[in-house]
């Protein structure tokens, strides 16, 4: 911890890459936990692909609605808050890239979050919207649809097999290439292109530090692994050094 705090103090450009584990202590289930993870209970192919949505729109819509409802009663935890406080304390130093769609970084006050996998609370059109989609209010339903052409509303998240938003990914890749230190927090590191950002940072000469109670698929490139829960570890890692607090 002391060594990593020293690296942090030296790093002029920091990237933080987060995954589901950063929200675990807020009560949001992760994806790959063997017992409680979403993908232990549900099949991604049946719920998180465009084919699944076109085949069973109501089933997929209802599953996302359940997750949206669950998110309304959760709150950012000490890990989200420590990251946001750090970003505000050192403007322009940190780029936060998240795979999470839960909005908890943003709700903690994190400026400029790059949410690579979208936003669970928002919808968008399934097919390219025509003028009718843009001028007529959608008909309520599960899912809502355009009253004229029957185009469907879908959750504004990235599904398996879909490309990430080009602009966001390019910004994240640039930040990873240029950073001096990357913190990889609460992700198993198995989903690309997000996990590739850590490999890119390492290849560019940045130090990579992993915060995760378990082993991850990115441990091979880590300069240090802090085996701890993020809500416990991040406040200690990111708290101001004594000199910073003296006026
Ligand atoms: P995973 O479920 O794959 O991994 C969660 C990670 O969090 C694991 O490595 C856990 O050990 C770790 N973890 C659990 N509790 C923690 C805690 N309190 N503090 C720190 N770490 C903790 O989730 P992601 O890596 O985020 O994609 O998954 C990546 C993507 O796969 C998701 O964005 C989602 C999913 O399919 C899409 O939906 C497109």
């Amino acid at each position: 911890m002391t060594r990593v705090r020293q690296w942090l103090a030296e790093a002029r450009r920091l990237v933080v890459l987060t995954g589901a584990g950063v929200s675990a202590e807020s009560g949001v289930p992760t994806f790959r936990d063997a017992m409680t993870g979403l993908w232990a209970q549900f099949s991604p192919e049946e719920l998180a692909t465009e084919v699944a949505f076109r085949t069973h729109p109501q089933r997929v819509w209802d599953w996302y609605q359940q997750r949206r409802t669950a998110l309304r009663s959760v709150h950012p935890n000490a890990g989200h808050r420590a990251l946001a406080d750090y970003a505000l304390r050192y403007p322009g130093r940190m780029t936060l890239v998240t795979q999470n769609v839960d909005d908890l970084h943003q709700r903690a006050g994190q400026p400029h979050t790059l949410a690579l996998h979208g936003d669970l609370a928002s919808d968008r059109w399934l097919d390219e919207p025509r003028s009718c989609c843009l001028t007529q209010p959608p008909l309520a339903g599960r899912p809502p649809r355009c009253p004229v052409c029957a185009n469907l509303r879908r959750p504004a998240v990235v599904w398996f097999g879909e490309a990430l938003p080009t602009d966001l990914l390019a910004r994240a890749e640039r930040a990873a290439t240029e950073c001096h230190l990357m913190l990889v927090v609460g992700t198993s590191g198995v989903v690309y292109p997000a996990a590739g950002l850590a490999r890119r940072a390492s290849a560019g000469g940045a130090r990579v530090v992993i915060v995760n109670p378990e082993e991850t698929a990115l441990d091979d490139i880590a300069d240090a692994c802090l085996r701890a829960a993020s809500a416990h570890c991040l406040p200690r890692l990111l708290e101001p050094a004594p000199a910073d607090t003296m006026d």
Side-chain angles (χ1 to χ4, degrees):
M1 176 68 87
T2 309
R3 198 158 37 107
V4 176
R5 277 178 62 81
Q6 183 59 39
W7 293 347
L8 255 175
E10 291 163 10
R12 276 178 289 112
R13 285 190 292 275
L14 165 70
V15 173
V16 182
L17 171 66
T18 67
V22 82
S23 298
E25 283 136 319
S26 294
V28 182
T30 63
F31 291 93
R32 292 179 182 78
D33 184 278
M35 300 303 289
T36 59
L38 290 175
W39 296 154
Q41 301 164 56
F42 306 99
S43 147
E45 294 75 25
E46 286 173 22
L47 292 166
T49 64
E50 185 184 323
V51 170
F53 187 72
R54 287 188 188 278
T55 314
H56 298 290
Q58 185 174 323
R59 179 202 293 173
V60 174
W61 179 262
D62 287 352
W63 186 69
Y64 279 93
Q65 286 298 97
Q66 274 177 29
R67 286 178 60 201
R68 286 173 170 172
T69 305
L71 273 190
R72 285 195 204 112
S73 55
V74 304
H75 303 285
N77 64 48
H80 299 107
R81 288 195 298 273
L83 289 167
D85 290 350
Y86 187 92
L88 295 172
R89 206 176 328 126
Y90 301 108
R93 190 187 281 188
M94 176 196 291
T95 302
L96 190 130
V97 184
T98 188
Q99 301 166 82
N100 299 345
V101 295
D102 58 24
D103 214 27
L104 291 179
H105 286 299
Q106 295 90 328
R107 282 169 52 194
Q110 184 76 44
H112 316 303
T113 306
L114 301 182
L116 291 183
H117 292 168
D119 173 20
L120 185 60
S122 308
D123 300 340
R124 63 180 176 82
W125 291 109
L126 177 62
D127 292 315
E128 194 61 37
R130 303 181 190 169
S131 58
C132 50
C133 307
L134 303 174
T135 51
Q136 311 278 329
L139 277 182
R142 296 161 43 209
R145 63 185 64 228
C146 173
V148 179
C149 73
N151 196 1
L152 300 178
R153 299 293 292 173
R154 56 159 280 183
V157 298
V158 175
W159 281 328
F160 287 99
E162 293 183 327
L164 271 54
T166 316
D167 172 52
L168 283 188
L169 182 59
R171 283 162 64 192
E173 286 178 341
R174 198 175 326 119
T177 303
E178 293 175 354
C179 72
H180 304 114
L181 177 65
M182 179 179 279
L183 289 183
V184 180
V185 187
T187 178
S188 54
V190 296
V191 172
Y192 284 74
L197 295 170
R199 298 198 176 276
R200 180 181 282 261
S202 174
R207 288 184 171 120
V208 174
V209 174
I210 293 185
V211 178
N212 198 309
E214 308 289 338
E215 290 182 2
T216 82
L218 294 170
D219 289 0
D220 60 309
I221 53 158
D223 294 278
C225 292
L226 301 175
R227 297 278 180 232
S230 59
H232 176 69
C233 180
L234 292 179
R236 290 164 61 218
L237 188 62
L238 301 174
E239 73 184 356
D244 289 357
T245 55
M246 282 181 350
D247 208 81

